[in-house]
Amino acid sequence: MAKDKTQYVCSECGGTSPKWLGKCPSCGAWNTLVEQAPAAAGVPAQNRFGNTFAALGGASELAVLAEIEATDVARTATGLEELDRVLGGGIVPGGVTLIGGDPGIGKSTLLLQAADALQNAGQIALYVTGEESGAQVALRAHRLGLERSQVQLMAEIQLEKILATLDTHRPAIAVIDSIQTVYSDQLTSAPGSVAQVRECAAHLTRFAKASGTAVVLVGHVTKEGALAGPRVLEHMVDTVLYFEGDTHSSFRLVRAIKNRFGAVNEIGVFAMTERGLRGVANPSAIFLSQHAQPVPGSVVLVTLEGTRPMLVEIQALVDDGGPSPRRLSVGLERDRLAMLLAVLHRHAGVASMDQDVFVNAVGGVRITEPAADLAVMLAISSSLRGKALPKGFVAFGEVGLAGEVRPAPRGQERLREAAKLGFSVALVPKANAPKKPIEGLTIHAIDRVDEAMAVVRQLD
Ligand code: TYD
Ligand code: MG
């Protein structure tokens, strides 16, 4: 068998085919064949599981776990505090970070700022741009006030050239903007295809580990919100960060989805300004829209993002629906919304079967914690009744299928943050009610959904 030919490998069974087929000839699965680079000369052909024992070389040394010294990884702070916070302290030599987000959200801006800060701190930072020309990047640098930046720039999309350059210059950090534009000569598939993205990311990862260069890959996000191409990318890299936020508002969140070197629940908060992204050290009040008077359908939720409590306005609109009423949610889970509507009906007698229900978390934040349930439910019932909650009202708590309201983690901290920002009435699960009163805050503690509704009606 010729060894220098590209082959197609089934991602299900590992079976191979010399040409692309819709159906795997070995296991019959559809659309599973992915192009693979030819094996290097001298390396025996792979078996159907992708390895040969001969090619594996000599056996490795073993070490007893207890005898290995536990050392924390060294980190280099990027100088952007909010970015360092999500990264768990800074970039890790040899670490590979994937950063995803919608087009225009600020990925290139953030990374150029970080590269410049690192360069100023005496590290070599190399920025590989595949999407924009050098002139375009320079234009952005001007806008950021970095016209004298010493960051090394390379406009290149061919993997082999990028690797050769990285190997020659050995930067401390290399930004690849974006991984979808890079292609390898070894494959015939188009740049951006699953095979190319996977192959290029694998090579860059291998380079990072071998050289100690920290590699940052920029990745596009599909409409569904997943990193385009391969989920496999997420498995390959050490850290996955997502950029969130509404491009119409200036606030941006950077969230760690995976981090081998730090906590995953941290977020970094930035504001996009005329001169780039600026960290927001105290973000608790940025996701509130300003109503002069309380309006029906609006409830402020105290949510916890990483270690920081934040106040986010939840809005609901309930309106007469057609024969098949719609349930839409932005920033909140839709399945959870359906569940909350059922609980509201069954356990509090609030029916919305024939109504359209829309809910929205203000400012483009994505809220995944169940502690948002109570606020969502209250926003819905408020819109349905056409009655606003009182001024300065906040809520949190998880709602269960049996109509119970369960405590949220770190309730005291949430309440204190709300009080600090001037909120005066809180509706919370009983277990979250503080033993000592919190100054300025009237707390209504409840156990069940119907009790919550009763409290709200009293407040009308
Ligand atoms: P960019 O970093 O190019 O986004 P991405 O790489 O994720 O596609 O950000 C582009 C947006 O940011 C664009 O709409 C302009 C805006 N922007 C500012 O508001 N201020 C700035 O200083 C810069 C550089 C960009
Ligand atoms: Mg960009």
Side-chain angles (χ1 to χ4, degrees):
M1 186 182 118
K3 285 176 192 140
D4 53 349
K5 279 261 182 60
T6 299
Q7 60 174 356
Y8 293 82
V9 180
C10 173
S11 56
E12 290 289 326
C13 73
T16 59
S17 157
K19 62 178 198 289
W20 192 83
L21 296 168
K23 187 175 171 181
C24 170
S26 307
C27 70
W30 286 94
N31 282 330
T32 53
L33 289 186
V34 172
E35 189 181 8
Q36 196 175 62
V43 176
Q46 294 183 332
N47 67 16
R48 64 192 294 260
F49 299 110
N51 51 31
T52 60
F53 299 113
L56 293 177
S60 298
E61 297 272 311
L62 297 181
V64 175
L65 180 57
E67 283 165 15
I68 301 174
E69 203 182 333
T71 46
D72 200 9
V73 284
R75 296 167 199 278
T76 314
T78 62
L80 305 181
E81 245 172 69
E82 291 293 309
L83 180 60
D84 289 338
R85 174 195 282 276
V86 244
L87 288 171
I91 59 160
V92 175
V96 183
T97 304
L98 176 65
I99 179 156
D102 289 335
I105 195 136
K107 302 182 292 296
S108 304
T109 304
L110 179 67
L111 293 174
L112 190 57
Q113 287 179 261
D116 183 71
L118 281 163
Q119 183 81 34
N120 284 340
Q123 312 269 351
I124 302 176
L126 202 156
Y127 195 104
V128 182
T129 169
E131 306 215 320
E132 295 162 309
S133 65
Q136 283 170 308
V137 178
L139 206 62
R140 178 179 294 118
H142 271 260
R143 197 164 168 193
L144 297 171
L146 307 177
E147 48 280 274
R148 302 164 75 93
S149 176
Q150 297 300 303
V151 170
Q152 309 282 319
L153 195 76
M154 168 168 54
E156 183 57 68
I157 55 172
Q158 198 202 324
L159 177 74
E160 287 71 19
K161 281 196 190 143
I162 294 172
L163 285 172
T165 314
L166 290 181
D167 201 28
T168 310
H169 296 277
R170 292 292 172 114
I173 181 172
V175 176
I176 313 291
D177 190 1
S178 67
I179 186 67
Q180 273 101 351
T181 55
V182 179
Y183 76 96
S184 164
D185 262 353
Q186 305 287 304
L187 300 181
T188 51
S189 338
S193 62
V194 174
Q196 284 285 7
V197 168
R198 190 159 84 174
E199 183 77 7
C200 294
H203 273 101
L204 287 161
T205 304
R206 223 168 293 148
F207 172 79
K209 303 293 165 205
S211 66
T213 293
V215 170
V216 181
L217 308 174
V218 175
H220 291 299
V221 163
T222 60
K223 282 203 198 72
E224 294 75 44
L227 278 171
R231 291 308 295 268
V232 285
L233 266 194
E234 297 190 2
H235 300 296
M236 260 183 229
V237 301
D238 300 305
T239 306
V240 180
L241 304 182
Y242 267 98
F243 242 110
E244 284 174 24
D246 192 342
T247 35
H248 307 296
S249 97
S250 63
F251 292 109
R252 306 278 185 274
L253 298 189
V254 179
R255 196 186 289 275
I257 303 294
K258 161 181 175 181
N259 194 352
R260 286 190 185 140
F261 308 122
V264 285
N265 55 3
E266 268 317 338
I267 58 161
V269 185
F270 295 92
M272 180 63 92
T273 68
E274 266 311 293
R275 304 191 71 188
L277 288 159
R278 255 219 321 272
V280 179
N282 204 343
S284 53
I286 59 178
F287 295 109
L288 301 175
S289 60
Q290 308 293 333
H291 304 292
Q293 286 303 320
V295 292
S298 156
V299 171
V300 175
L301 159 75
V302 195
T303 181
L304 207 62
E305 286 294 355
T307 50
R308 297 186 288 192
M310 284 207 315
L311 284 90
V312 178
E313 181 181 337
I314 304 292
Q315 297 183 331
L317 178 66
V318 182
D319 199 16
D320 288 343
S324 52
R326 281 176 296 174
R327 276 95 180 75
L328 280 182
S329 64
V330 180
L332 294 152
E333 285 166 44
R334 200 162 66 168
D335 292 343
R336 198 103 196 147
L337 171 62
M339 183 204 95
L340 289 175
L341 291 173
V343 173
L344 201 55
H345 178 223
R346 189 62 182 268
H347 296 285
V350 180
S352 55
M353 280 85 86
D354 52 353
Q355 307 279 318
D356 285 339
V357 180
F358 307 98
V359 294
N360 174 33
V362 168
V365 253
R366 270 222 323 269
I367 296 182
T368 48
E369 69 161 359
D373 292 349
L374 189 59
V376 175
M377 200 173 245
L378 293 174
I380 293 167
S381 82
S382 160
S383 173
L384 198 57
R385 295 181 306 126
K387 295 247 179 182
L389 286 140
K391 207 173 160 86
F393 179 92
V394 291
F396 59 84
E398 178 181 349
V399 170
L401 288 179
E404 79 278 21
V405 181
R406 301 191 203 120
R410 317 227 314 261
Q412 310 282 312
E413 255 170 82
R414 296 181 200 237
L415 288 170
R416 274 199 296 273
E417 187 69 25
K420 203 172 92 192
L421 291 167
F423 285 83
S424 53
V425 190
L427 183 61
V428 300
K430 267 210 181 105
N432 283 135
K435 303 217 167 44
K436 278 190 285 182
I438 295 176
E439 205 186 315
L441 202 59
T442 308
I443 293 168
H444 299 275
I446 44 99
D447 257 338
R448 303 197 46 83
V449 170
D450 47 344
E451 289 172 46
M453 292 302 146
V455 171
V456 168
R457 262 180 245 121
Q458 263 174 33
L459 292 173
D460 275 353

